[in-house]
Every structure is written in C-alpha cells, then in structure tokens.
Amino acid sequence: MKFYRDVYTQVPEFADELKKFNQKLVYISPSLPTAFISNKPFDSLEQLKGGKWRASSRWHLLFLKNAGATAVSIPWGEMYMSLQTGAVDGCMSNYDGLHMTKQDEVAPNILVARELWFATPFMVTINLDVWNSLSKADQEGIEKAAAIALEKYEQAYADGVTGIFDAEKKAGLNPRYLDIEAVSRWAETCASAKADQQWLEDLKSARIVNAESIVARLSALHAKAIEEDRKITMSKN
C-alpha cells in the first residue's frame, strides 16, 4: 500500500493522469494476494505448463504464457461454469475474488502466493471541483479517514488471507501456501522483466514523454518497497 502511495506522490505523471479526468486520489489499496486454483490436482506452478488457464489482464495472461500455459481470457461471470465443465483447467486471480465468487467450490486445488501481490489497485477518487468546494476541515477529515482506513487495512489484509484459507480447509478444499522459493521462481521466470519491457514499448508507442524515466522511477520504488517489506518480515521472524 505504501508503494501505491509513493507512486502517486513521487512519480507525478501518475497524478497528472488523474487530473486530466478532473479527479483527486483519496484512497488506494490492493486486493488480497495472488492465488492459483484448479479443477485438477497440482502441487507446483511448474504444473501450469500445458494447461489452459484464465487470467484477467494482458500482463497476467503474459505471465501464464511465460509459464508454458495456454492463457485464455474468459469473462469473470463465466468462470464458475468454465471451471465446473472443464473448459479451463484453472484460474489465476486475487484470492478474495476467487473465494467470493465461489470458484474454489469447483476448483478446490488452491495454491496461495502470500508474497505475490495482485497488482491491480482499488482506487477511491473525488471530482476536483467537488473537492475544492469543500471546507478545509472537511478535506482534512476525509484525508484523516483515508489514513486510518489504510492503517487498519494492513491487518485486515493478513486476516483476510488466513480467514479464507481456514474457511476452505473447513469446507474440505485443498488450499496450500506457496513457499518463498516458489514465488521467487515465478517472479524471475514468468513476470517482471518481460512485462516491464512490454510496458515500456507500449508507452513509447503512445508517444509518452519520459517513458524510460517513468519505468525507471517506478522500478526503483518497487525495489525499495520489496526491500522494506523483506526487512519487516525478517524482524517478525
């Protein structure tokens, strides 16, 4: 969550994009981390190879393709039946979304990647004209409420993961946590570098000025956030 806030305060191009739509960012947070669910038994992400897997965005579809899977795009509302009928073998998405839509009922084999954040932010914005019409006291009240919500969400995030995991266990499903080595292998072989390069090419194609600089600053903030998270994790162990 701190990473999101740093992006919008330290990479002005992101905030400027919101201003083009006359919006001010009030609150931003992630969903729960990434999970992989399948209607077939599997014990590692290497077993995605050769299967037909669904993801939500071009980037996650790219990750699945890099893992050797046949990556498919299917409307979210059709996923329960697609998993139930075997039209697809599995789905990669945010853990809470998979559970809330009950996809884990028909795809009970679950690998949860606690360290693999699902990088789709949920944003609350306010029209700038409306914001500017508010009194300073009201503005400060909204900002204080957002800060409190973010602080409390950190614990809610951890509780949300364990809550779903325990509920799935109780229901007789087969959830397991991926260890950090497995998550690191996925990140190194399937994610970051290739996606970063594709995003840079997209920015250049869209004639975005400072494309290399934007990606470089974002990558630096991301690396800093990972290192800070690593230190916090080590201090707790």
Side-chain angles (χ1 to χ4, degrees):
M1 289 179 288
K2 182 178 182 300
F3 169 71
Y4 287 138
R5 297 196 297 274
D6 288 346
V7 167
Y8 276 90
T9 57
Q10 299 182 37
V11 185
E13 289 85 352
F14 280 84
D16 289 344
E17 186 175 30
L18 283 179
K19 289 179 182 177
K20 291 179 181 178
F21 295 93
N22 203 35
Q23 297 294 306
K24 173 184 170 57
L25 181 64
V26 174
Y27 177 86
I28 185 169
S29 67
S31 63
L32 294 189
T34 301
F36 302 80
I37 66 171
S38 179
N39 47 29
K40 298 178 180 178
F42 77 122
D43 299 306
S44 73
L45 297 183
E46 284 73 21
Q47 291 176 267
L48 273 62
K49 185 176 182 179
K52 185 182 289 186
W53 281 72
R54 186 267 186 194
S56 60
S57 73
R58 61 178 300 198
W59 306 114
H60 294 138
L61 290 169
L62 174 63
F63 299 164
L64 290 175
K65 183 178 179 181
N66 292 340
T70 298
V72 296
S73 180
I74 296 174
W76 187 244
E78 297 177 13
M79 275 307 299
Y80 188 99
M81 183 173 291
S82 296
L83 288 164
Q84 186 178 46
T85 61
V88 293
D89 298 311
C91 181
M92 168 192 175
S93 192
N94 55 304
Y95 194 24
D96 44 339
L98 293 168
H99 183 65
M100 286 189 291
T101 53
K102 300 184 178 181
Q103 293 180 42
D104 49 4
E105 289 183 350
V106 290
N109 303 291
I110 304 148
L111 293 179
V112 184
R114 286 173 292 186
E115 297 83 6
L116 190 62
W117 69 318
F118 197 77
T120 303
F122 291 86
M123 303 170 68
V124 176
T125 66
I126 185 171
N127 180 280
L128 269 173
D129 295 333
V130 174
W131 176 259
N132 291 331
S133 71
L134 298 176
S135 68
K136 184 173 179 61
D138 285 342
Q139 291 178 350
E140 290 176 348
I142 291 172
E143 290 176 338
K144 182 178 180 180
I148 292 172
L150 280 172
E151 182 180 352
K152 291 184 177 296
Y153 184 78
E154 292 180 6
Q155 185 59 48
Y157 183 94
D159 292 344
V161 174
T162 55
I164 293 174
F165 191 92
D166 292 345
E168 289 175 334
K169 277 283 190 181
K170 187 176 181 179
L173 309 182
N174 186 28
R176 289 143 295 154
Y177 290 121
L178 286 166
D179 59 37
I180 189 62
E181 289 78 14
V183 174
S184 296
R185 285 197 304 272
W186 171 270
E188 291 169 4
T189 60
C190 302
S192 59
K194 296 177 182 178
D196 287 351
Q197 185 58 40
Q198 182 61 58
W199 187 42
L200 179 57
E201 293 174 5
D202 289 349
L203 290 175
K204 289 180 177 179
S205 297
R207 301 181 185 277
I208 300 298
V209 180
N210 303 330
E212 287 94 346
S213 174
I214 292 172
V215 173
R217 282 176 283 155
L218 193 67
S219 297
L221 286 174
H222 187 244
K224 179 182 177 182
I226 290 176
E227 179 60 21
E228 290 176 347
D229 186 67
R230 185 187 69 81
K231 291 179 180 178
I232 291 172
T233 300
M234 290 180 63
S235 70
K236 293 179 180 179
N237 295 333

